[in-house]
Structure formats: structure tokens, C-alpha cells
């Protein structure tokens, strides 16, 4: 749901950007859900680059241990590598929360999914990045107060983020999107839907059409995840 609430399309329109991003956020997925849906979530898209954040819903479930979550995450990465040799993996840090600013109905959840647990999980994810020769990315600095909590002015009820919070991290997200988009001629799809989505366009090189496609995918209700799936089609020639 964090990604469902991310007004990325509005931001791009306001920026006058020509990058195409679709936000199709769907909440509620855990690492086990993703393991059971890899064909649809990942393989059918044949990505070359993935920015992934999965497991925040696991962190909210007291029945799921850190070891179990990281084990599933490890399997996800291993399966991606096996099915997509050479894929570039970017593992993103989980967003912080704010118990003190939380609504009463949210506080029981945040007693389980607290920042100490989130920080511990981030350390484990960083280790996974090293194991899988992936890049670990933390874009959360602008969301945090002096104590490392999600800033009270940025949160709705201690976990979910207001528009102002998304605006704060937008430049940090966009530098990765634009980095890839420059390579793929700015064709990007943004989603956290279980099923994913693909946006495709054609460019002509030497009188022939060369399609480029990309997808940005997030799995998880409140993961704040951003995954970019991008692939240069055909012979990857530059489009003039």
C-alpha cells in the first residue's frame, strides 16, 4: 500500500518529465508469496535490472522469524539469478516507522515491526547483497528524524507515508530510475502489483524498429520497495 499511495505519476507530470511510469501498487505480499509467484512477478518480464524490497509484511508477522524471512529472500535472489543470468540486483533498505506518532490502532503492529527490527533486517539484507554480488541501497535518510524514526510530519499513522514524504525521497528514487531510463531511452514502468506490467515503445535505428521495455515493480504492502525491471530489446543499439 505504500507504493499504491506513491503519487509518482503526478510528480512526473508536475516535473514535466517524459519518463513513463505506471503505479499499479497492490499490498499484502510476503516473501513466501513472492516465491510462489516468481514466474509472473519476474521471469515473464525477462528483466536485466531489478530494484527489490520484499519482506516488510514478514516483519509485521510475529510468526515469521528473521531467519525465515531472510532465507526466503535468499531463495528469491538465487532463483532470479538462476533464471536470469547476469541480472543486476539492487536491494533496498526498509522504510522506518514512528511508534510515538502512531495511531492507537497501529501501535500493536509497530511493537512487532519496530525500527530496531527494521535496522536488523536491513543489516541482513545488506549481507545478502554482498552474497549475491548485488548493490544495497538506502534512500531513507530524508525520511528520518534525529532519532532515526520516520518523521512525524511525513507519516499518516506511524507507518504509511504522506505525499510530503514521497516528495522528500523522490530525487533519490529518480536518480536510479533516470540512470536506467537514460540507457533504455526513458521507457519505464512502475508498479508494485503482483502481476506486474510492461510498457513498450519502439525506436528506429537504420530504418529498423528496436523495442525497449522496462518495468518498476514493488512487492509488499508497506515495503516502500522499488524494483526496476529493464531490458534493452533487439541488439541494444542506441536510438537517435
Amino acid at each position: 500500500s505504500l507504493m499504491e499511495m506513491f503519487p509518482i505519476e503526478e510528480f512526473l507530470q508536475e516535473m514535466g518529465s517524459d519518463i513513463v511510469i505506471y503505479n499499479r501498487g497492490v499490498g499484502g505480499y510476503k516473501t513466501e508469496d513472492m516465491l510462489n509467484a516468481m514466474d509472473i512477478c519476474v521471469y515473464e518480464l525477462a528483466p536485466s535490472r531489478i530494484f527489490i524490497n520484499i519482506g516488510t509484511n514478514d516483519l509485521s508477522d510475529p510468526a515469521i522469524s528473521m531467519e525465515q524471512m531472510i532465507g526466503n529472500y535468499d531463495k528469491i535472489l538465487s532463483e532470479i539469478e538462476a533464471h536470469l543470468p547476469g541480472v543486476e540486483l539492487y536491494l533496498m533498505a526498509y522504510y522506518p516507522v514512528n511508534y510515538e506518532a502512531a495511531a492507537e490502532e497501529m501501535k500493536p503492529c509497530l511493537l512487532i515491526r519496530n525500527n530496531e527490527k527494521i535496522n536488523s533486517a536491513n543489516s541482513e539484507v545488506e549481507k545478502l547483497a554482498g552474497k549475491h554480488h548485488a548493490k544495497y541501497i538506502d534512500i531513507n535518510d530524508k525520511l528520518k528524524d534525529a532519532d532515526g524514526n520516520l518523521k512525524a510530519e511525513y507519516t499518516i499513522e506511524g507507518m504509511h507515508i504522506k505525499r510530503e514524504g514521497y516528495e522528500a525521497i523522490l530525487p533519490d528514487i529518480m536518480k536510479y530510475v533516470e540512470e536506467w531510463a537514460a540507457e533504455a531511452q526513458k521507457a519505464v514502468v512502475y508498479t508494485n502489483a503482483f502481476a506486474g506490467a510492461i510498457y513498450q515503445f519502439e525506436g528506429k535505428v537504420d530504418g529498423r524498429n528496436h523495442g525497449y521495455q522496462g518495468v518498476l515493480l514493488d512487492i509488499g504492502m508497506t515495503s516502500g520497495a522499488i524494483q526496476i525491471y529493464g531490458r534493452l530489446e533487439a541488439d541494444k543499439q542506441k536510438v537517435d
Side-chain angles (χ1 to χ4, degrees), residues 29 33-45 47 193-197 215 217 219 227 229:
Y29 288 92
D33 297 310
M34 187 170 181
L35 274 172
N36 293 329
M38 296 291 282
D39 285 343
I40 298 174
C41 289
V42 182
Y43 307 147
E44 290 183 358
L45 301 172
F194 154 74
V215 62
L217 173 70
I219 305 294
Q227 302 179 9
Y229 294 77

Side-chain angles (χ1 to χ4, degrees), residues 64-208:
I64 300 176
S65 67
M66 184 75 69
E67 292 74 18
Q68 182 180 352
M69 183 197 78
I70 294 299
N72 285 343
Y73 203 149
D74 192 10
K75 291 177 183 176
I76 289 169
L77 299 176
S78 294
E79 291 191 13
I80 290 174
E81 291 168 327
H83 284 78
L84 301 167
V87 68
E88 297 179 42
L89 296 171
Y90 294 72
L91 313 188
M92 301 189 68
Y94 302 120
Y95 288 163
V97 297
N98 189 326
Y99 181 83
E100 297 302 323
E104 288 302 316
E105 61 271 18
M106 181 61 71
K107 287 186 175 181
C109 176
L110 298 188
L111 286 174
I112 300 167
R113 178 179 165 182
N114 54 53
N115 284 328
E116 182 179 359
K117 188 176 184 180
I118 289 171
N119 292 336
S120 178
N122 283 338
S123 295
E124 294 301 318
V125 170
E126 188 170 11
K127 292 177 186 176
L128 279 182
K131 176 179 179 180
H132 291 272
H133 306 289
K135 187 173 182 180
Y136 174 75
I137 297 174
D138 187 340
I139 62 167
N140 298 334
D141 284 349
K142 293 175 184 176
L143 289 177
K144 295 179 179 179
D145 62 20
D147 296 319
N149 298 311
L150 177 59
K151 290 181 179 179
E153 62 267 31
Y154 285 165
T155 186
I156 297 171
E157 27 55 321
M159 181 184 294
H160 292 93
I161 299 172
K162 295 179 180 179
R163 178 187 171 93
E164 292 81 0
Y166 291 119
E167 286 179 317
I169 61 173
L170 181 65
D172 296 314
I173 292 170
M174 290 304 299
K175 69 180 181 182
Y176 295 112
V177 175
E178 289 169 346
E179 176 184 73
W180 175 82
E183 179 185 2
Q185 295 296 299
K186 295 189 176 181
V188 179
V189 175
Y190 178 80
T191 176
N192 73 341
F194 154 74
I198 295 178
Y199 173 81
Q200 187 167 339
F201 76 104
E202 293 183 340
K204 290 188 176 181
V205 179
D206 299 328
R208 295 181 294 123

Side-chain angles (χ1 to χ4, degrees), residues 51-56 73 92-94 218-219 223-227:
F51 285 55
I52 180 171
N53 182 325
I54 181 68
T56 54
Y73 203 149
M92 301 189 68
Y94 302 120
D218 162 45
I219 305 294
S223 64
I226 293 181
Q227 302 179 9

